[in-house]
Amino acid sequence: QEVRRNSEENKYVFGEFGDQWAPLRDAYERPPCSKCKDHRAAVTIGLGGLHSGAPWHFHNAVFVEVLHGAKHFALLPPGDAAIHEITEVIAGLSQWHWHLEKREEMEKAGKLSEMIECTIHPGELLYFPDGWHHGVVNMADYTAFVSTFVERDDDAHEGRGPKPQSQPAWVG
């Protein structure tokens, strides 16, 4: 199916999928972090076709691993000035169409100077911290991936613990 301009009209499978998917989630070797080993992490499975994906959004820290295909990430740090325009002006636009229709004008206006991009492939692991705005485009006929969402560290965010990592990191 061709990717539609409205992100809500695109087919993209993503989630925990209840008990029937538990054997797959349980068999997955989680990323090497202390919180990833127990209930403080949620393992989700995703599958999407070419140019499907997730439009700009944010959430807690996450590790993403591609099992088949490739995923392109565009990331903006928390508090970046472009986030307002992205959330208010182009809400609902598919990430693929954002790249085609809006990205160039935002770049020419100097609004994406802090944006970080990467494409991950099988065998690579991407981590990004809490609150990083990001949009994702699947870059193969189909892309299968696992995301491990990590529970927020409230102590660290209130200055009572170690400072959370401030930059995304990927391992290949």
Side-chain angles (χ1 to χ4, degrees):
Q1 171 181 326
E2 188 173 319
V3 175
R4 297 179 187 226
R5 192 171 189 279
N6 182 340
S7 63
E8 294 180 15
E9 296 174 0
N10 293 315
K11 300 218 183 284
Y12 184 72
V13 178
F14 180 75
E16 293 185 69
F17 302 117
D19 293 338
Q20 69 270 27
W21 287 70
L24 288 173
R25 287 191 313 272
D26 293 344
Y28 176 68
E29 186 175 331
R30 293 180 181 210
C33 81
S34 61
K35 288 184 181 181
C36 295
K37 305 297 181 205
D38 58 27
H39 69 279
R40 295 179 292 171
V43 176
T44 61
I45 299 169
L47 181 65
L50 181 62
H51 299 149
S52 66
W56 288 101
H57 64 287
F58 70 96
H59 45 66
N60 287 1
V62 67
F63 290 88
V64 182
E65 182 175 4
V66 170
L67 305 176
H68 178 86
K71 293 183 85 58
H72 177 268
F73 286 81
L75 302 110
L76 288 169
D80 190 281
I83 293 170
H84 173 74
E85 182 171 340
I86 286 169
T87 57
E88 298 296 322
V89 178
I90 60 175
L93 186 65
S94 82
Q95 190 67 13
W96 176 246
H97 286 90
W98 175 82
H99 282 285
L100 295 175
E101 299 173 15
K102 298 293 182 181
R103 178 186 175 141
E104 185 177 358
E105 71 183 65
M106 290 183 76
E107 283 179 322
K108 285 182 179 178
K111 297 177 181 178
L112 301 176
S113 62
E114 298 298 316
M115 186 169 72
I116 297 173
E117 294 181 271
C118 68
T119 301
I120 61 172
H121 300 89
E124 297 176 331
L125 181 69
L126 171 67
Y127 166 81
F128 52 92
D130 290 341
W132 276 71
H133 271 70
H134 58 285
V136 185
V137 177
N138 294 314
M139 302 302 292
D141 287 342
Y142 76 90
T143 298
F145 62 98
V146 177
S147 296
T148 304
F149 292 90
V150 182
E151 184 177 272
R152 184 179 299 267
D153 184 353
D154 290 329
D155 287 345
H157 289 277
E158 294 176 16
R160 295 190 303 264
K163 183 179 178 185
Q165 182 173 341
S166 60
Q167 293 286 322
W170 50 94
V171 178

